[in-house]
């Protein structure tokens, strides 16, 4: 049996499972493994130092899979922004057919991608943002609940409410993100009105994720309490794994009058990269969500996706129907 939804039809994949963009993790090894297993793998544009490196990474991914894969373009409000338009052009020139946009003011990028017939999945964390992205002309929404790794926004609405609230307002296909890691989550997402799931943290704990085994072991070891919310007072909340660095960031920013400069040396992306590559778990931030409480092993991507689909199908075809008397 296969699970066919408007989302699987839209992007031409077998299973309604997407691997969300992940800085330093969303490389060809992981994206191709997800796509080969019937999901949608995404390269992360800004993981590549230059737009030309992104072109090469897309070519490399093509040598590893002949299935559809996409690219995540994360637009963050930074003091010295990367050359977004050039990354965008690299994506367009490379013949990519699906893009995940995330972050602030995606309009200019959405318009350019749409003009080239590229399907855009916009990931956002609030119903009002989903509604305006739909109006902007994106093809699908990925709605990211408070449980998620990364930036959950400032509204603190978990998926159980956010997903059906968004489903009530959105007409285009929508996938659910944040806190998903198993077949129960997929079945629940479908019941809540989504047409698939997006996962980040769970895909980090797979054989193919290009990160140090000690980081994968940490995700298995941690439970659902193993995260910190940082940058709350700066109104740029991020959910990261709990470690000595994120504990320190929370503590420093809790002090009266604290500003970003007080923690800048701790939260640099380069430090997080060192952590992922060397397995030194105190080197920087490690991005991870509450779903760590549902991660108990490190399977291959193919094993993970098959398990999620089989379990979701069993829930929908056996466990739930058996309750109807
Ligand atoms: C290590 C890591 C890095 C991430 N980096 C990005 C990123 O660069 N851009 C982005 O849009 N989302 C990023 N995310 C968020 C994921 O794409 C996804 O939305 C999120 O992980 C979903 O929540 P989950 O971790 O509970 O599955 C990252 C997540 C992780 C775990």
């Amino acid at each position: 049996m296969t699970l066919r939804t408007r989302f699987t039809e839209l992007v031409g994949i077998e299973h309604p499972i997407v691997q969300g963009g992940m800085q330093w993790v969303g490389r060809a090894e992981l994206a191709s493994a997800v796509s080969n297993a019937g999901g949608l793998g995404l390269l992360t544009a800004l993981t590549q130092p230059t737009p030309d490196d992104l072109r090469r990474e897309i070519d490399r991914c093509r040598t590893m899979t002949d299935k559809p894969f996409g690219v995540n373009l994360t637009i963050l409000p930074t003091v010295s922004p990367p050359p977004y338009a050039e990354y965008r052009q690299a994506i367009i020139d490379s013949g990519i057919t699906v893009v995940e946009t995330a972050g602030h003011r995606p309009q200019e990028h959405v318009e350019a991608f749409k003009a080239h017939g590229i399907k855009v999945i916009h990931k956002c964390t609030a119903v009002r943002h989903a509604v305006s992205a739909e109006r902007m002309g994106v093809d699908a929404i990925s709605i990211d609940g408070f449980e998620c790794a990364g930036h959950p926004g400032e509204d603190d609405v978990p998926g159980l409410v956010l997903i059906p609230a968004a489903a009530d307002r959105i007409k285009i296909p929508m996938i659910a993100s944040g806190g998903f890691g198993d077949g129960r989550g997929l079945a629940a997402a479908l019941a809540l009105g989504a047409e698939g799931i997006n996962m980040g943290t769970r895909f980090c704990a797979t054989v193919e994720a290009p990160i140090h085994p000690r980081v994968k072991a940490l995700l298995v070891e941690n439970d659902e309490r193993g995260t910190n919310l940082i940058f709350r007072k700066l109104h740029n909340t991020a959910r990261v794994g709990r470690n000595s660095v994120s504990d320190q960031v929370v503590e420093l920013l809790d002090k009266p009058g604290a500003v970003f400069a007080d923690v800048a040396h701790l939260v640099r992306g380069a430090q997080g990269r060192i952590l992922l590559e060397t397995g030194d778990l105190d080197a920087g931030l490690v991005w991870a969500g509450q779903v760590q409480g549902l991660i108990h092993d490190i399977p291959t991507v193919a094993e993970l996706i098959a398990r999620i689909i089989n379990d979701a199908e069993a829930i929908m075809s056996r466990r739930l129907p058996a309750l109807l008397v």
Side-chain angles (χ1 to χ4, degrees):
M1 214 187 279
T2 51
L3 273 171
R4 187 176 304 147
T5 70
R6 286 192 302 160
F7 183 78
T8 59
E9 299 291 291
L10 177 75
V11 296
I13 54 173
E14 192 184 347
H15 304 306
I17 299 178
V18 177
Q19 166 250 314
M22 288 188 277
Q23 184 65 327
W24 311 132
V25 187
R27 300 175 188 273
E29 288 77 9
L30 184 59
S32 64
V34 173
S35 290
N36 282 331
L40 181 70
L42 298 177
L43 298 174
T44 304
L46 300 184
T47 291
Q48 300 304 321
T50 68
D52 278 341
D53 288 307
L54 176 60
R55 289 172 208 267
R56 282 188 281 274
E57 187 70 356
I58 292 170
D59 288 345
R60 196 166 75 90
C61 200
R62 285 222 171 90
T63 68
M64 298 162 86
T65 183
D66 52 12
K67 301 269 182 67
F69 64 90
V71 177
N72 161 285
L73 186 66
T74 304
I75 310 128
L76 294 173
T78 52
V79 188
S80 48
Y84 284 118
E86 290 173 35
Y87 277 98
R88 186 178 75 210
Q89 198 57 44
I91 294 168
I92 294 169
D93 293 345
S94 300
I96 287 292
T97 56
V98 190
V99 163
E100 177 192 60
T101 52
H104 294 243
R105 303 184 196 285
Q107 179 136 14
E108 153 196 359
H109 305 290
V110 170
E111 282 168 5
F113 289 133
K114 293 303 306 165
H116 288 85
I118 296 173
K119 302 273 189 308
V120 178
I121 307 164
H122 184 63
K123 187 167 63 186
C124 55
T125 58
V127 175
R128 61 190 183 285
H129 298 155
V131 169
S132 64
E134 181 177 55
R135 214 177 292 134
M136 211 179 276
V138 305
D139 300 278
I141 295 292
S142 181
I143 193 87
D144 215 3
F146 190 47
E147 303 90 336
C148 72
H151 292 276
E154 310 304 319
D155 295 343
D156 302 2
V157 182
L160 198 54
V161 170
L162 187 65
I163 298 160
D168 283 345
R169 300 284 304 282
I170 296 296
K171 290 186 191 66
I172 54 177
M174 183 188 82
I175 58 171
S177 177
F180 293 97
D182 61 25
R184 295 170 298 185
L186 174 55
L190 297 172
L192 292 171
E195 306 200 33
I197 54 171
N198 177 62
M199 306 194 301
T201 308
R202 175 67 263 205
F203 277 124
C204 291
T206 58
V207 171
E208 292 91 340
I211 59 177
H212 197 282
R214 266 201 293 275
V215 181
K216 300 180 190 183
L218 176 77
L219 301 176
V220 173
E221 223 169 87
N222 274 350
D223 64 19
E224 60 280 6
R225 297 166 303 169
T227 70
N228 269 320
L229 289 168
I230 58 171
F231 307 152
R232 291 242 82 175
K233 281 194 193 156
L234 307 177
H235 305 293
N236 185 26
T237 299
R239 188 184 293 284
V240 295
R242 189 163 201 174
N243 68 357
S244 64
V245 176
S246 61
D247 279 347
Q248 216 182 323
V249 173
V250 170
E251 198 186 313
L252 288 171
L253 285 177
D254 261 352
K255 292 189 177 155
V259 291
F260 181 75
D262 300 335
V263 298
H265 61 293
L266 295 169
V267 304
R268 270 196 292 267
Q271 296 299 119
R273 182 180 184 172
I274 291 171
L275 182 148
L276 293 173
E277 286 177 0
T278 65
D280 172 358
L281 299 177
D282 297 312
L285 294 177
V286 55
W287 295 74
Q290 294 181 323
V291 73
Q292 286 173 107
L294 304 177
I295 298 177
H296 308 301
D297 62 356
I298 302 165
T300 64
V301 165
E303 283 163 356
L304 177 65
I305 289 184
R307 186 200 299 168
I308 292 174
I309 295 296
N310 289 339
D311 289 352
E313 283 173 357
I315 290 167
M316 291 188 288
S317 63
R318 294 202 291 277
R319 197 168 88 75
L320 298 182
L323 301 176
L324 296 168
V325 287

